[in-house]
Amino acid sequence: MCIRDSYTTVSNTVTTTVQNAPTLTDTSGSGTNYAPGQTITDAFVLANTGNGSGDFQLSGDATLGGTDAASATLGNGASTCTTPVGAQTSACQYAAKVGSTTYYFTSLASTTDNNSLNYWLKNTNALTAAGSNITVYAYYTLASNAATGSSNTVTSSITASVAYAAAGSAPAETSATQSATETNTVQA
């Protein structure tokens, strides 16, 4: 007669923490033509492709470059900007679209109120769920005397990250930054 022995053993516990992995996608495409004096709106999609909800943050103002960068000024040139806290007596520099609602901002980095895009992203907007996105718009205005021609360009670049709060045994983490650049041509 054969007797089977059985036994129980305890194995080491293995914990795997999956790193968040956001992406930043430029959705407006290159090659848009603008005339001197016009306001340019560049759209960037911040997509949370990680494994949890997080807060997006831009690491600095949109960077303007290209051959006509000296002719471009951040902001839409308007005398007022209606932000989440009401009308402000300065131009809108940024906007964010969540679902079907667009919010406007006079600055990027204020840490005290909803006139600032980064403050709003961190403190007012709900966390961006994994698989969701926010569209961020950067506005800049070309001078009326900006040089024109197929080789005259203005670019805008943004850099962003997403921060995840600590959850359970998983520590708080911030992703690597992701960047995108939009190139526009200044034409007469």
Side-chain angles (χ1 to χ4, degrees), residues 158-177:
I158 64 169
T159 301
S161 62
V162 64
Y164 287 15
S169 63
E173 292 197 43
T174 299
S175 70
T177 59

Side-chain angles (χ1 to χ4, degrees), residues 4 25 42 44 46 117 126 151 170:
R4 293 186 174 201
T25 306
D42 287 339
F44 303 90
L46 307 179
L117 175 60
S151 64

Side-chain angles (χ1 to χ4, degrees), residues 51-70:
N51 59 346
S53 296
D55 292 313
F56 282 111
Q57 292 287 283
L58 274 62
S59 61
D61 272 323
T63 303
L64 301 178
T67 58
D68 272 353

Side-chain angles (χ1 to χ4, degrees), residues 3 5 8 22-23 58 63 67 82 93 103 112 115 126 141 159 185:
I3 301 176
D5 292 329
T8 303
T23 60
L58 274 62
T63 303
T67 58
T82 303
Q93 292 184 351
Y103 303 90
T112 60
N115 292 323
T141 303
T159 301
T185 303

Side-chain angles (χ1 to χ4, degrees), residues 6-75:
S6 66
Y7 64 95
T8 303
T9 186
V10 177
S11 176
N12 293 339
T13 301
V14 175
T15 303
T16 302
T17 303
V18 179
Q19 177 81 24
N20 56 26
T23 60
L24 176 63
T25 306
D26 178 351
T27 59
S28 55
S30 294
T32 306
N33 295 327
Y34 290 93
Q38 282 190 299
T39 296
I40 298 172
T41 303
D42 287 339
F44 303 90
V45 175
L46 307 179
N48 181 358
T49 61
N51 59 346
S53 296
D55 292 313
F56 282 111
Q57 292 287 283
L58 274 62
S59 61
D61 272 323
T63 303
L64 301 178
T67 58
D68 272 353
S71 298
T73 304
L74 192 59

Side-chain angles (χ1 to χ4, degrees), residues 30-131:
S30 294
T32 306
N33 295 327
Y34 290 93
Q38 282 190 299
T39 296
I40 298 172
T41 303
D42 287 339
F44 303 90
V45 175
L46 307 179
N48 181 358
T49 61
N51 59 346
S53 296
D55 292 313
F56 282 111
Q57 292 287 283
L58 274 62
S59 61
D61 272 323
T63 303
L64 301 178
T67 58
D68 272 353
S71 298
T73 304
L74 192 59
N76 65 357
S79 59
T80 61
C81 181
T82 303
T83 70
V85 294
Q88 307 300 312
T89 56
S90 59
C92 294
Q93 292 184 351
Y94 299 97
K97 184 174 184 180
V98 179
S100 61
T101 305
T102 302
Y103 303 90
Y104 298 90
F105 306 95
T106 58
S107 68
L108 174 71
S110 169
T111 57
T112 60
D113 63 43
N114 277 322
N115 292 323
S116 160
L117 175 60
N118 268 349
Y119 181 89
W120 180 83
L121 286 170
K122 181 165 180 53
N123 297 293
T124 304
N125 182 51
L127 294 174
T128 303

